[in-house]
Amino acid sequence: MSKPSFRVALLDAAHNRAAFNSGSAPLDRYFQQQVSQDVRRRVAACFVALTTEQRIAGFYTLAAASVLLNDLPTGTGKKLPRYPTVPAVRMGRLAVDQEFKGLGLGGALLADAMARAANSEIAAYAMVVDAKDKKAADFYQHHGFIPMPNSPLTLFLPIATVSAAIYK
Ligand SMILES: CC(C)(COP(=O)(O)OP(=O)(O)OC[C@H]1O[C@@H](n2cnc3c(N)ncnc32)[C@H](O)[C@@H]1OP(=O)(O)O)[C@@H](O)C(=O)NCCC(=O)NCCS
């Protein structure tokens, strides 16, 4: 069977969220019951990966955030201006439907989010993610994210370290 192809789009009312099943009940509940309210209130933007039949295979959310300079590893923090906080983009949630796991979609959605952050006119130092458990943190580490020394389920990746060639 050939690998399915996906297109990433902003979530809209025409997309059918009811059938989405990532295997994580809290993530599925959030996506089915809460996300459109968050989008309406502008506390999150939600992007979906769609199959050619318009089925939702994965989603992620992005929002503006800030991290405390003191929470970053010492070496990283030293190179930044001495403001108490550093601007960031938070990927609040990321999930892939069970039927589409292991195909590279999770990694592709991460890359898509990094590209949006890197190409934005509004500067942010890093992408920040909150991993729901150790397994999710391993997934992010596999993609180069660095755990915060005092809260290892929060990880970050400096946007400038992301090669423009890869993410353009
Ligand atoms: C985590 C999740 C998004 C991964 O999506 P996916 O499409 O199955 O992952 P991919 O196929 O893109 O995997 C990409 C790479 O990450 C690796 N990977 C996947 N899960 C991993 C894990 N838990 N630890 C380490 N590496 C992992 C894969 O081996 C693959 O490596 P490669 O590119 O070197 O071959 C998906 O399993 C999911 O939705 N899980 C439930 C929700 C969740 O945990 N979300 C995380 C945020 S809280």
Side-chain angles (χ1 to χ4, degrees), residues 20 22-24 27-28 57-59 91-98 100-109 129-143:
F20 186 79
S22 70
S24 161
L27 274 171
D28 295 347
F59 80 93
M91 179 183 263
R93 288 169 172 96
L94 165 69
V96 168
D97 189 285
Q98 286 191 312
F100 300 98
K101 276 185 191 170
L103 300 175
L105 182 57
L109 287 176
V129 293
D130 295 307
K132 69 180 178 55
D133 52 29
K134 168 85 173 67
K135 198 169 161 222
D138 289 347
F139 168 78
Y140 290 119
Q141 275 194 266
H142 178 86
H143 289 280

Side-chain angles (χ1 to χ4, degrees), residues 16-152:
N16 175 15
R17 286 176 282 145
F20 186 79
N21 173 20
S22 70
S24 161
L27 274 171
D28 295 347
R29 218 171 20 249
Y30 171 80
F31 187 54
Q32 280 150 9
Q33 297 172 16
Q34 170 87 40
V35 72
S36 44
Q37 200 172 70
D38 283 0
V39 169
R40 243 186 347 265
R41 292 180 177 154
R42 291 194 60 86
V43 294
C46 181
F47 297 88
V48 289
L50 296 165
T51 67
T52 45
E53 295 82 30
Q54 304 303 302
R55 178 155 167 214
I56 299 175
F59 80 93
Y60 69 83
T61 61
L62 291 183
S66 65
V67 291
L68 287 171
L69 189 64
N70 287 341
D71 285 347
L72 294 171
T74 319
T76 313
K78 271 198 181 130
K79 294 179 208 132
L80 292 166
R82 304 307 300 163
Y83 303 131
T85 61
V86 180
V89 175
R90 167 165 276 110
M91 179 183 263
R93 288 169 172 96
L94 165 69
V96 168
D97 189 285
Q98 286 191 312
E99 199 174 309
F100 300 98
K101 276 185 191 170
L103 300 175
L105 182 57
L109 287 176
L110 259 188
D112 188 82
M114 287 302 288
R116 286 178 204 280
N119 293 328
S120 171
E121 289 175 351
I122 301 172
Y125 166 69
M127 178 76 71
V128 182
V129 293
D130 295 307
K132 69 180 178 55
D133 52 29
K134 168 85 173 67
K135 198 169 161 222
D138 289 347
F139 168 78
Y140 290 119
Q141 275 194 266
H142 178 86
H143 289 280
F145 279 73
I146 304 159
M148 300 280 197
N150 295 322
S151 50

